[in-house]
Amino acid sequence: MAEGDTDKHSVAMSEKNSSEHEMNEPGKTDAELIKSYLRKTDLHLLPLTFAMYFLSVIDRNNIGNAKAAGMDTHLGLHGQQFNWIISAFFFTYIFCEVPSNILLKKFGARVWLPLLAVCWSILVACMAAAKSYETLVVVRVLMGVFEAGYVPGFIYMTSFWYTRRQQGPRIALFFSAGVFAGIWAGPLAARLQSINGALLGYQYIFIIEASMTVLVALLMVLVLQDYPSTARFLSPAERAAAQRMLEADRALSPHAQYSTRQVIKALGDWTVWAYAIIFWAAATGGATQAIFGPTLIKAMGYTSTRAQVLSAVPSACGFLAQLLSMLLPRLYSHFSIWIMLFSSCACAFYAIIATTNSVHVRFAFLCLSNFALSPNMPLVSVWMSHNVLGATKKGVATACTVMLGGIAGLIGSHIYRDKDAPEFRFGHIFVCVCNAIIFVVALALHLYFRYENKRRDMRDEDFDAMTLTPEQVD
């Protein structure tokens, strides 16, 4: 990562006490050791975890590519059966994140994260052998059990290696892999389904993509380490400097602890639910485009292979927009304004898609819609982290957001129905309404915070995080 990512506060604190430590390499300060530590840690942790999230998104959503390749016809799926196959994944995905993190702490990231990947990739390969609707539902339910642990597991793992300030850009980079996967999923599926062999095209999609996941999982076992204190790729001096940096960062909130009273209080704060609703509405649009993109494009009259390839274009637009979302708050720090801008554009774009019959216009605005959809999830996540204070309250807000994000997958699985083909107006109008909800809720938060800031200015109230009581920190 860039030099600017170094946590200067933590480095300064550790430099202050560097004379007390004998572990430093000759001629190297703590700041230099920490830069070296971050460079080595990034190299060992980020590329493979990025690649695995890229593959996990492909494995989760390749059911949509398989449908475009003819799976539904081959298995005789009808009515809402395909939609229920998609949503089956989220029934277990919503509830298995916390238990998975408990097991990660027990077994370590080096073992647990690759194990999860191998398990879900075996299930992906099993979908190639499925002969019925019921079998696919069972397989997708089990996939949700194992895939649920990867994202929270990565975030939990980074808390052992990075300060809170250092975690932010790395988590943002990690999440960009999900949108990046959308660019390659379609063209990759198109190439795999064109293989001439003993299997059907959609079966090759499942088997080969699952094999790629297993390969990366094996590399993770060889490269990942559980903790800085036991990492073989670090020198003793780097381990010692990292330990001082991490301890200094955790010392910033020494009184933070779990509080049931604060949980109840946080659940009663309407702003917590407002952030979660924005995330839900944004995730609904994002999830539907990731899964149904090839189906929507095929319904415009393109061949199956052509639709798979063209599905990369809207995803590329979304990826560019998500990268842009990392820069926009630096230009203008009011998150609500950016969220209202993107949601209003997405609302208008989906309204156009729902009301036009021109194939070229629908495809063009599908690309623009993906561009407008993608920034709101990372923007509201950062906005929430900036405004929600207290360890317990922030944990509750994050849990509510994750929960509603999973519910978005459940609902989104049923809004693009076969009976609405080829226009799929119901699904487009649903996502249009979701973005209207985002605009209204973001506007309400904007006006509320503006009122609160004016009220505090009139009372001459200053806020200093260092003066928080233990109960407020909790």
Side-chain angles (χ1 to χ4, degrees):
M1 299 297 291
E3 181 176 326
D5 289 333
T6 304
D7 191 318
K8 296 177 182 177
H9 178 82
S10 300
V11 172
M13 291 183 69
S14 55
E15 279 186 324
K16 182 179 179 180
N17 299 316
S18 59
S19 61
E20 298 175 12
H21 302 277
E22 303 284 329
M23 298 294 292
N24 283 12
E25 294 177 1
K28 286 190 176 182
T29 64
D30 265 19
E32 292 172 326
L33 288 170
I34 289 172
K35 288 176 186 177
S36 175
Y37 162 81
L38 290 174
R39 184 174 61 252
K40 290 181 179 180
T41 301
D42 288 343
L43 183 63
H44 281 79
L45 265 59
L46 299 185
L48 285 176
T49 52
F50 181 99
M52 183 57 76
Y53 186 53
F54 172 92
L55 291 171
S56 77
V57 172
I58 286 181
D59 289 340
R60 180 190 315 171
N61 296 331
N62 60 13
I63 189 78
N65 301 109
K67 182 189 180 186
M71 180 194 72
D72 56 334
T73 303
H74 178 70
L75 298 181
L77 302 179
H78 56 84
Q80 290 286 96
Q81 286 186 332
F82 180 73
N83 302 82
W84 282 110
I85 290 169
I86 295 170
S87 61
F89 173 91
F90 295 98
F91 284 108
T92 47
Y93 186 87
I94 294 171
F95 299 107
C96 292
E97 293 173 330
V98 173
S100 180
N101 267 7
I102 294 171
L103 292 170
L104 183 146
K105 178 65 176 174
K106 179 178 177 63
F107 295 106
R110 179 172 172 266
V111 171
W112 186 245
L113 295 183
L115 178 62
L116 290 176
V118 169
C119 290
W120 86 59
S121 60
I122 290 173
L123 291 164
V124 170
C126 287
M127 287 198 291
K131 301 298 182 184
S132 66
Y133 160 71
E134 291 79 11
T135 303
L136 284 172
V137 168
V138 171
V139 171
R140 292 279 295 179
V141 167
L142 293 174
M143 277 181 62
V145 172
F146 296 107
E147 277 214 45
Y150 185 71
V151 172
F154 169 81
I155 296 172
Y156 187 44
M157 179 188 72
T158 59
S159 68
F160 299 129
W161 293 84
Y162 301 107
T163 65
R164 286 166 291 181
R165 182 176 177 180
Q166 293 162 358
Q167 268 185 291
R170 289 160 176 86
I171 291 174
L173 176 66
F174 174 82
F175 277 116
S176 71
V179 183
F180 189 60
I183 300 175
W184 294 98
L188 177 61
R191 180 67 187 90
L192 295 178
Q193 78 175 65
S194 65
I195 295 175
N196 292 319
L199 302 176
L200 296 173
Y202 78 86
Q203 293 174 315
Y204 284 111
I205 293 174
F206 288 135
I207 292 172
I208 295 177
E209 290 181 352
S211 301
M212 294 164 57
T213 305
V214 171
L215 177 61
V216 174
L218 294 176
L219 292 174
M220 288 177 73
V221 174
L222 297 175
V223 175
L224 287 188
Q225 301 289 308
D226 290 330
Y227 306 104
S229 59
T230 58
R232 294 191 299 271
F233 60 83
L234 297 174
S235 69
E238 289 166 342
R239 290 193 203 106
Q243 187 66 26
R244 294 193 291 274
M245 176 188 71
L246 294 169
E247 286 178 353
D249 180 67
R250 290 165 189 148
L252 295 177
S253 54
H255 302 293
Q257 54 185 310
Y258 176 81
S259 167
T260 303
R261 185 165 172 265
Q262 287 295 309
V263 168
I264 297 172
K265 187 176 180 181
L267 290 173
D269 185 343
W270 76 271
T271 63
V272 168
W273 293 104
Y275 293 123
I277 289 170
I278 292 175
F279 191 89
W280 164 79
T284 298
T288 54
Q289 293 311 306
I291 296 174
F292 291 103
T295 300
L296 297 177
I297 296 171
K298 185 180 178 182
M300 295 177 189
Y302 295 100
T303 64
S304 173
T305 302
R306 184 71 170 161
Q308 302 275 29
V309 174
L310 287 176
S311 67
V313 181
S315 296
C317 294
F319 179 68
L320 291 175
Q322 194 163 79
L323 294 179
L324 185 64
S325 71
M326 300 178 191
L327 304 175
L328 292 177
R330 297 184 181 184
L331 300 177
Y332 188 67
S333 60
H334 290 270
F335 289 88
S336 57
I337 302 300
W338 293 117
I339 291 172
M340 286 189 285
L341 174 64
F342 284 114
S343 61
S344 59
C345 288
C347 186
F349 295 157
Y350 271 102
I352 293 172
I353 297 173
T355 54
T356 185
N357 292 320
S358 170
V359 170
H360 298 298
V361 172
R362 282 159 59 193
F363 182 76
F365 277 92
L366 188 66
C367 296
L368 291 173
S369 297
N370 265 30
F371 184 89
L373 282 174
S374 298
N376 280 340
M377 285 175 61
L379 283 174
V380 73
S381 298
V382 177
W383 191 21
M384 177 186 69
S385 69
H386 283 192
N387 284 350
V388 177
L389 298 177
T392 299
K393 187 173 183 179
K394 188 167 289 189
V396 171
T398 302
C400 292
T401 300
V402 170
M403 180 183 67
L404 289 192
I407 293 173
L410 277 173
I411 297 173
S413 302
H414 293 273
I415 66 174
Y416 286 102
R417 306 168 299 187
D418 285 343
K419 68 179 183 179
D420 298 322
E423 291 85 6
F424 293 102
R425 285 196 173 93
F426 176 81
H428 295 318
I429 292 172
F430 191 97
V431 180
C432 176
V433 172
C434 284
N435 280 278
I437 291 171
I438 292 174
F439 183 91
V440 171
V441 177
L443 177 61
L445 283 170
H446 174 78
L447 295 175
Y448 171 73
F449 290 135
R450 189 175 177 181
Y451 164 78
E452 274 295 302
N453 289 336
K454 283 186 177 180
R455 184 184 65 81
R456 293 183 183 187
D457 288 342
M458 290 177 63
R459 295 187 179 185
D460 197 26
E461 294 181 13
D462 290 326
F463 177 78
D464 184 357
M466 299 306 292
T467 65
L468 291 175
T469 66
E471 183 184 56
Q472 290 171 316
V473 171
D474 290 344

